């Protein structure tokens, strides 16, 4: 129904307004005036941050979309094949103390690849995929700390094998903090090993709680998640910095002890999962913010950015998984016996000593 607006004085028709026609108002509400959008790429009916349902998503795809899904599935298959081959080698050839930790670290790559591929197929699963990626990386980081302890033969053997004054807090990424410049090299003992463990263990705990809060906000109202996302990022960054700080302190302390275990390469290959996920997530959001992506409803700029991000992550997981396969299949040095497995043989003298010959003083000497 149209509403006719008259000029009361001369009964002139000024305009005819259709209350159902909300094209211009929808555009004004969906395009944030603070964002530097390229308006040539934005259609009047475009909702910039809208994520379509899976039904609308698939109906809008063409041959290029099918090719994108096929390549993503191929990347997942390569990651799974490399993971299974490496896991079989670890279970057969690694020492018993390190098998579980190595298996959990290697599981990071297929889990990230599968969750990323799910977000490619189901666009509304993007936040869940990011939460899984973050959580499994943090769990893998703690398992890497446990793996270094296991390579040493346990905490007791670690303390006995390293130099007494070997724990230096002046390492990255927190060495630039003013308080760290005055910290001396510390004596390593059981309490300090426990504090190192706490620094790394808080990673999966804090990150899991933060993403649980974000998921609850997203489930309640998507705009609520978008508003509060940036407020929780300082907590996320502080947690990551402290956890990586603890790992690097441990690695530097064990540099001489763990020669030949390729621990630095294993740390870099694992850390790249987080670096790539975070940095690429930032530029994907910047692409949406600056309006550098087209809007062809129901494929919005946010969907385009997520597709680019997920496609890159899948093939990056292929490269990282192959690098991890190379590192974990290399032979390890002979394992050092742990303190609890050391056997001490105590011998006792059970044989009787024959008595010494006695001298008879009463014997008469004959001359």
């Amino acid at each position: 129904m149209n509403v006719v607006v008259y000029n009361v004085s001369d009964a002139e028709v000024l305009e005819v307004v259709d209350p159902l026609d909300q094209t211009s108002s929808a555009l004004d509400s969906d395009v944030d005036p603070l964002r530097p959008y390229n308006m040539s790429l934005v259609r009047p009916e475009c909702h910039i941050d809208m994520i379509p349902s899976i039904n609308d998503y698939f109906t809008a795809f063409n041959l290029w979309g099918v090719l994108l899904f096929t390549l993503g599935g191929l990347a997942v298959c390569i990651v799974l094949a490399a993971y299974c081959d490496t896991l079989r080698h670890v279970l057969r050839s690694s020492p018993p103390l390190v098998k579980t930790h190595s298996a959990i670290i290697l599981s990071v790559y297929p889990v990230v690849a599968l969750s990323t591929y799910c977000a490619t197929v189901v666009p509304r699963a993007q936040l869940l995929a990011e939460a899984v990626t973050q959580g499994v990386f943090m769990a893998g980081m703690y398992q890497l700390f446990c793996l270094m302890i296991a390579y040493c033969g346990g905490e007791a053997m670690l303390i006995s094998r390293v130099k007494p004054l070997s724990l230096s807090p002046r390492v990255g990424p927190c060495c630039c903090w003013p308080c760290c410049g005055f910290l001396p090299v510390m004596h390593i003992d059981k309490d300090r090993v426990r504090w190192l463990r706490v620094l790394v263990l808080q990673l999966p705990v804090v990150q899991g709680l933060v993403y649980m809060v974000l998921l609850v906000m997203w489930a309640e109202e998507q705009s609520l998640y978008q508003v509060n996302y940036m407020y929780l990022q300082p907590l996320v960054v502080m947690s990551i910095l402290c956890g990586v700080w603890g790992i690097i302190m441990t690695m530097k302390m064990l540099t001489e002890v763990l020669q030949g275990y390729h621990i630095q390469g294993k740390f870099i290959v694992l850390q790249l999962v987080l670096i790539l996920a975070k940095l690429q997530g930032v530029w994907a959001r910047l692409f949406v913010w600056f309006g550098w992506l087209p809007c062809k409803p129901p494929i919005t700029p946010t969907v385009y950015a997520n597709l680019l991000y997920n496609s890159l992550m899948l093939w990056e997981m292929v490269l990282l998984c192959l690098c991890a396969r190379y590192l974990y299949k290399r032979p390890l040095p002979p394992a050092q016996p742990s303190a609890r497995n050391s056997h001490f043989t105590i011998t006792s003298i059970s044989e009787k000593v024959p008595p010494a010959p006695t001298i008879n003083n009463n014997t008469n000497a004959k001359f």
Side-chain angles (χ1 to χ4, degrees):
M1 181 180 67
N2 295 335
V3 178
V4 182
V5 180
Y6 290 91
N7 189 338
V8 179
S9 60
D10 54 2
E12 180 183 356
V13 178
L14 297 179
E15 61 177 337
V16 179
V17 180
D18 185 0
L20 299 180
D21 185 10
Q22 300 177 350
T23 302
S24 59
S25 62
L27 177 62
D28 295 337
S29 61
D30 292 327
V31 179
D32 189 348
L34 298 178
R35 298 184 183 184
Y37 277 117
N38 183 358
M39 298 305 299
S40 63
L41 300 177
V42 179
R43 295 184 179 182
E45 70 275 11
C46 180
H47 298 262
I48 300 299
D49 297 319
M50 187 195 73
I51 299 179
S53 64
I54 190 171
N55 188 29
D56 297 335
Y57 183 62
F58 278 107
T59 54
F61 259 79
N62 51 19
L63 181 61
W64 292 106
V66 176
L67 179 62
L68 191 65
F69 290 159
T70 304
L71 292 176
L74 177 62
V76 172
C77 292
I78 295 174
V79 171
L80 290 175
Y83 165 72
C84 293
D85 179 62
T86 312
L87 183 63
R88 180 176 59 183
H89 173 79
V90 167
L91 295 179
R92 287 181 177 179
S93 306
S94 297
L97 288 177
V98 306
K99 288 182 179 180
T100 302
H101 305 305
S102 300
I104 295 177
I105 296 171
L106 290 170
S107 301
V108 171
Y109 309 102
V111 171
V112 172
L114 285 171
S115 61
T116 304
Y117 187 68
C118 288
T120 305
V121 177
V122 184
R124 292 182 178 177
Q126 184 67 36
L127 179 60
L128 181 61
E130 292 178 6
V132 171
T133 300
Q134 192 91 347
V136 74
F137 166 79
M138 300 308 168
M141 189 66 74
Y142 176 68
Q143 291 299 320
L144 181 64
F145 175 82
C146 296
L147 181 65
M148 289 188 285
I149 301 296
Y151 279 153
C152 294
E155 290 187 4
M157 286 295 295
L158 182 149
I159 296 171
S160 63
R161 293 175 64 183
V162 300
K163 297 178 181 178
L165 292 175
S166 58
L167 182 60
S168 174
R170 302 173 187 175
V171 297
C174 299
C175 59
C176 58
W177 293 358
C179 60
C180 294
F182 301 99
L183 293 177
V185 178
M186 293 181 287
H187 184 83
I188 184 66
D189 53 19
K190 190 173 182 180
D191 292 334
R192 297 220 163 82
V193 173
R194 186 180 298 115
W195 276 110
L196 288 174
R197 185 183 296 274
V198 170
L199 274 177
V200 184
L201 183 59
Q202 57 83 26
L203 274 173
V205 176
V206 174
Q207 302 292 323
L209 292 175
V210 168
Y211 269 89
M212 184 184 70
V213 172
L214 289 175
L215 286 172
V216 170
M217 290 181 182
W218 184 84
E220 178 64 25
E221 183 65 36
Q222 187 173 355
S223 61
L224 186 65
Y225 153 74
Q226 294 172 353
V227 169
N228 293 281
Y229 177 82
M230 296 305 298
Y231 293 104
L232 293 175
Q233 289 309 299
L235 179 61
V236 172
V237 172
M238 287 294 297
S239 173
I240 293 174
L241 289 178
C242 291
V244 174
W245 186 39
I247 283 283
I248 295 179
M249 280 193 292
T250 307
M251 287 178 53
K252 186 174 181 180
M253 179 180 63
L254 300 177
T255 299
E256 297 180 0
V257 177
L258 296 183
Q259 288 183 354
Y261 286 89
H262 321 292
I263 197 66
Q264 187 172 4
K266 295 173 183 178
F267 169 71
I268 293 174
V269 171
L270 181 61
Q271 191 183 27
L272 281 175
V273 176
L274 179 68
I275 294 175
L276 293 173
K278 287 295 183 183
L279 291 182
Q280 293 174 166
V282 170
W283 67 251
R285 288 182 172 87
L286 288 178
F287 276 19
V288 178
W289 178 269
F290 286 101
W292 292 341
L293 297 173
C295 186
K296 301 177 181 178
I299 309 299
T300 61
T302 300
V303 178
Y304 275 116
N306 291 340
L307 282 174
L308 292 174
Y309 167 81
N310 293 332
S311 300
L312 285 176
M313 279 294 295
L314 282 172
W315 287 102
E316 287 161 357
M317 287 304 106
V318 172
L319 296 177
L320 293 179
C321 188
L322 293 177
C323 292
R325 176 179 177 270
Y326 169 75
L327 290 171
Y328 283 87
K329 291 190 72 172
R330 297 186 68 178
L332 298 176
Q336 296 290 334
S338 60
R340 58 184 177 184
N341 293 331
S342 299
H343 299 283
F344 300 94
T345 304
I346 301 176
T347 57
S348 59
I349 301 175
S350 58
E351 298 179 357
K352 295 182 178 180
V353 179
T358 58
I359 299 175
N360 191 0
N361 296 329
N362 298 324
T363 303
N364 294 325
K366 295 181 180 179
F367 297 99

